Amino acid sequence: MARQNYTFTSESVSEGHPDKVCDRISDAVLDAFLGEDKYARVACETFATTDRVVIGGEVRGPASVIKRVEDIARDCVKDIGYEQEGFHWANMKVDSYLHAQSDDIARGVDAADNKDEGAGDQGIMFGYAVNETEALMPAPILYAHAILRRLAEVRKNGTEAWMGPDAKSQLSIRYEDGKPVGASQIVLSTQHLDEDMTPDDVRAKVAPYIEEVLPAGWITPETVWHVNPTGKFVIGGPDGDAGLTGRKIIVDTYGGAAPHGGGAFSGKDPTKVDRSAAYAARYLAKNVVAAGLAHRCTLQLSYAIGVAEPLSIYVDTHGTGEVSEEAIERAVGEVMDLTPRGIRTHLGLNKPIFQRTAAYGHFGREPDVDGGFSWEKVDLVEALKKAV
């Protein structure tokens, strides 16, 4: 029997966190390629430090995009809000080392003769859903993201202009009878442009927004707050700490509440199953829970480079299933084509929809009308019910 009473903690980071700056630039480059060629191949990595951004990786697509990479990077940093000494969108140096995709990789991925498009790499991908929140996401990561999204809104609209772009949140949530009931610890570190602000000053400013975001009754007199616990947070972003694409994979997914296969998402086109199959696994797990087949579902997919069909489908409903896990495994393979081409087609992934995923999580978001976050739809419910 799973534990019913416990405390679980997840963290999030803002769009101005050094690693998220890099995720944003990598996904913006990807979107630029997909905007001109929906079949472009992109594996773009970004590194950022004081006054410098370095972009590298393998691409196959319009040369015109490569010429725009520096402008793309500057636009991202400007939108995030960095105009500080040590990291300024207009003054930073941008180096691009993008080059042609390896012929060996292309040979394995491309369709040819009777061979379907293969996976862009080997790997294991996990999807997860749980019915403890409306978004069918674990509460700690969902609300850790929500806090930082709200603070970014008031920073960027000028309501709280004292805030800098860099921030981190962390929530320790108490569970009773298996359901989240309150916040035992709240951690919030946010960059402040006014050097004279104290942690108490910052808490007075941010507390109303945190209280607004969390469910009523979750903050009590027993809740312990840690706001800017180092005492001062003026130097932020890549000037304070180097950033790199793909270093926040737990923040990107389920906050540690579910397994992660290890592959990062940002900067990778949807032939890379690290990304597309992780989206498919979340989509299927969410639809399993939405269909009432389980209260909680972990789903694993595995692939080999150059091979189209998944090597395995594994489902764990953690003792909450209304039908057998074997029946769900068979059903998900029936209701969705899980080849790389099938995933891209079903979820409509060959579009410039990825830059928006770079901060505040890839999962638990509302589907967009242009196809963004399509993996958050629950349109397989009836098909799954019929299939089992």
Side-chain angles (χ1 to χ4, degrees):
M1 166 103 42
R3 290 180 64 190
Q4 297 297 298
N5 302 312
Y6 56 93
T7 298
F8 193 84
T9 302
S10 293
E11 69 159 346
S12 180
V13 297
S14 73
E15 62 200 73
H17 184 281
D19 296 330
K20 283 291 150 196
V21 171
C22 294
D23 285 347
R24 171 76 177 271
I25 293 170
S26 293
D27 273 337
V29 170
L30 169 62
D31 277 357
F33 275 101
L34 293 178
E36 293 197 19
D37 177 3
K38 66 181 181 178
Y39 298 115
R41 299 283 169 77
V42 180
C44 175
E45 308 285 349
T46 303
F47 167 74
T49 187
T50 302
D51 279 335
R52 183 178 291 265
V53 168
V54 180
I55 302 166
E58 302 78 45
V59 298
R60 189 172 75 189
S64 58
V65 177
I66 295 179
K67 297 176 182 178
R68 295 194 286 117
V69 165
E70 179 175 341
D71 290 338
I72 291 168
R74 293 190 190 280
D75 288 345
C76 289
V77 175
K78 182 178 182 180
D79 182 69
I80 290 168
Y82 277 114
E83 296 185 343
Q84 65 189 39
E85 184 179 354
F87 200 71
H88 192 299
W89 64 270
N91 303 328
M92 66 186 189
K93 181 173 175 56
V94 180
D95 297 314
S96 176
Y97 299 99
L98 294 174
H99 60 83
Q101 183 188 48
S102 158
D103 288 339
D104 291 343
I105 293 176
R107 188 178 302 111
V109 176
D110 290 347
D113 300 324
N114 294 324
K115 172 185 171 295
D116 196 3
E117 294 177 7
D121 201 353
Q122 71 176 46
I124 55 174
M125 298 82 206
F126 287 93
Y128 182 73
V130 60
N131 66 357
E132 65 189 49
T133 61
E134 187 175 332
L136 304 184
M137 283 286 288
I141 188 66
L142 185 71
Y143 290 110
H145 287 322
I147 288 170
L148 294 184
R149 290 187 75 182
R150 182 66 180 125
L151 292 179
E153 287 171 1
V154 296
R155 171 178 66 86
K156 296 175 95 169
N157 69 22
T159 304
E160 304 292 349
W162 58 271
M163 296 176 66
D166 199 353
K168 300 180 78 171
S169 67
Q170 185 170 287
L171 287 178
S172 298
I173 301 300
R174 288 187 299 107
Y175 283 73
E176 295 179 1
D177 296 325
K179 297 295 182 183
V181 297
S184 61
Q185 306 264 350
I186 298 172
V187 183
L188 189 284
S189 296
T190 184
Q191 184 184 7
H192 52 96
L193 305 181
D194 181 352
E195 296 195 25
D196 295 326
M197 290 186 77
T198 67
D200 288 340
D201 295 332
V202 174
R203 175 174 169 174
K205 293 280 192 180
V206 302
Y209 298 111
I210 295 175
E211 292 167 357
E212 169 192 322
V213 166
L214 295 185
W218 274 29
I219 298 176
T220 70
E222 286 72 43
T223 300
V224 178
W225 292 71
H226 306 272
V227 177
N228 281 16
T230 64
K232 188 176 181 180
F233 188 1
V234 174
I235 301 173
D239 187 33
D241 189 12
L244 192 67
T245 298
R247 279 205 302 209
K248 287 293 178 284
I249 57 178
I250 300 302
V251 170
D252 285 342
T253 54
Y254 308 102
H260 192 293
F265 300 159
S266 290
K268 296 178 180 178
D269 75 75
T271 66
K272 279 73 172 176
V273 285
D274 276 344
R275 181 170 218 159
S276 56
Y279 290 171
R282 160 63 179 173
Y283 174 62
L284 291 168
K286 184 175 183 180
N287 275 270
V288 165
V289 174
L293 303 180
H295 301 294
R296 181 180 168 205
C297 179
T298 299
L299 190 148
Q300 184 204 61
L301 302 172
S302 69
Y303 291 85
I305 187 168
V307 179
E309 294 290 340
L311 308 186
S312 65
I313 301 172
Y314 167 79
V315 168
D316 184 357
T317 57
H318 309 276
T320 71
E322 299 296 327
V323 298
S324 74
E325 287 149 339
E326 292 82 1
I328 296 174
E329 289 168 355
R330 289 192 296 270
V332 298
E334 291 175 14
V335 301
M336 185 175 181
D337 178 353
L338 290 171
T339 64
R341 186 204 299 268
I343 293 171
R344 295 199 310 277
T345 301
H346 191 113
L347 296 178
L349 299 182
N350 287 106
K351 299 175 183 176
I353 55 173
F354 297 106
Q355 186 176 171
R356 69 195 73 172
T357 69
Y360 314 118
H362 292 245
F363 307 129
R365 310 278 287 271
E366 286 294 319
D368 294 325
V369 294
D370 66 350
F373 300 102
S374 58
W375 49 93
E376 290 298 313
K377 293 180 179 179
V378 287
D379 53 2
L380 285 183
V381 166
E382 296 306 318
L384 280 168
K385 288 179 179 179
K386 184 178 179 180
V388 300

